[in-house]
Amino acid sequence: MLSRKVEGLDPINEFAVGIEYNFYEYDLSSKNKTSTPYILLQVAAVDFETPRVQNTDGSFIFTRNTSIAVPFGIGYKTKVYGKIAFAIETTFRYTFTDKLDFTTSQFSELDFGGTSNDWYMFSGVSLVYTFGRPACFADQR
C-alpha cells in the first residue's frame, strides 16, 4: 500500500477483449481493399487505486480495486507498405464504478459531488505489422 498526498489520478490498468466491425472489406494482401473506418465494442477489466485511509498528515493510504468497463469507439486503419498498417482510434469507456475519480463522502477533502459511474477515454495511433500469410481463399495475384 502506498501513502502519499492525492496530486492526480494514478494510471489505470486495463485488459480488454472485443470485436471490431470494418465498414469496408479490409485485406492487406489486396491492392484495393487496404483501408476502412471501423467501430469497436469491448468488455474490459479495469484495475485502479482508491483511497482507503487518511493519515494525520493529510496523505492517504490507497488500495487496489478492480471493476468492469465497456469500451466502445471508432477508428480508421490503412495500409502503409507491405504488411505494415497505420490506425487511429478513439474509444470511450463506461465503468461500473464511481471510484476512479476518488470522489467519496468518506473523506471530506475528496467529496467533489457526483454519484454517477465514471467514464474515461483513450485516443491513439498505432503502427501495426501483420504476421503470417494471406488466407487460402485470398487472391494471391
Side-chain angles (χ1 to χ4, degrees):
M1 285 183 234
L2 303 172
S3 178
R4 63 176 185 268
K5 291 195 180 274
V6 175
E7 295 174 3
L9 296 180
D10 287 321
I12 296 172
N13 301 310
E14 175 185 284
F15 178 78
V17 295
I19 59 172
E20 183 179 287
Y21 175 78
N22 296 318
F23 286 99
Y24 305 115
E25 191 173 344
Y26 182 73
D27 181 3
L28 289 180
S29 63
S30 79
K31 293 189 191 282
N32 60 353
K33 300 173 185 167
T34 57
S35 63
T36 183
Y38 62 92
I39 58 174
L40 61 97
L41 179 64
Q42 300 172 328
V43 174
V46 181
D47 178 65
F48 58 95
E49 288 186 339
T50 56
R52 185 173 59 88
V53 176
Q54 185 173 15
N55 295 323
T56 56
D57 66 355
S59 64
F60 293 89
I61 296 175
F62 289 77
T63 188
R64 301 297 305 176
N65 285 290
T66 302
S67 184
I68 301 294
V70 178
F72 58 93
I74 59 171
Y76 182 81
K77 58 187 172 182
T78 188
K79 179 179 180 175
V80 175
Y81 179 78
K83 294 183 175 186
I84 299 174
F86 171 81
I88 184 167
E89 84 179 29
T90 296
T91 54
F92 304 91
R93 284 134 162 90
Y94 174 77
T95 67
F96 292 91
T97 184
D98 187 30
K99 296 181 179 180
L100 289 181
D101 57 6
F102 297 162
T103 297
T104 177
S105 59
Q106 183 179 359
F107 308 111
S108 60
E109 295 88 345
L110 299 177
D111 191 3
F112 306 118
T115 57
S116 62
N117 288 341
D118 296 327
W119 290 74
Y120 65 101
M121 156 182 184
F122 170 81
S123 293
V125 295
S126 302
L127 193 59
V128 181
Y129 180 80
T130 304
F131 292 94
R133 58 178 191 205
C136 60
F137 58 83
D139 186 4
Q140 299 293 320
R141 292 182 239 183

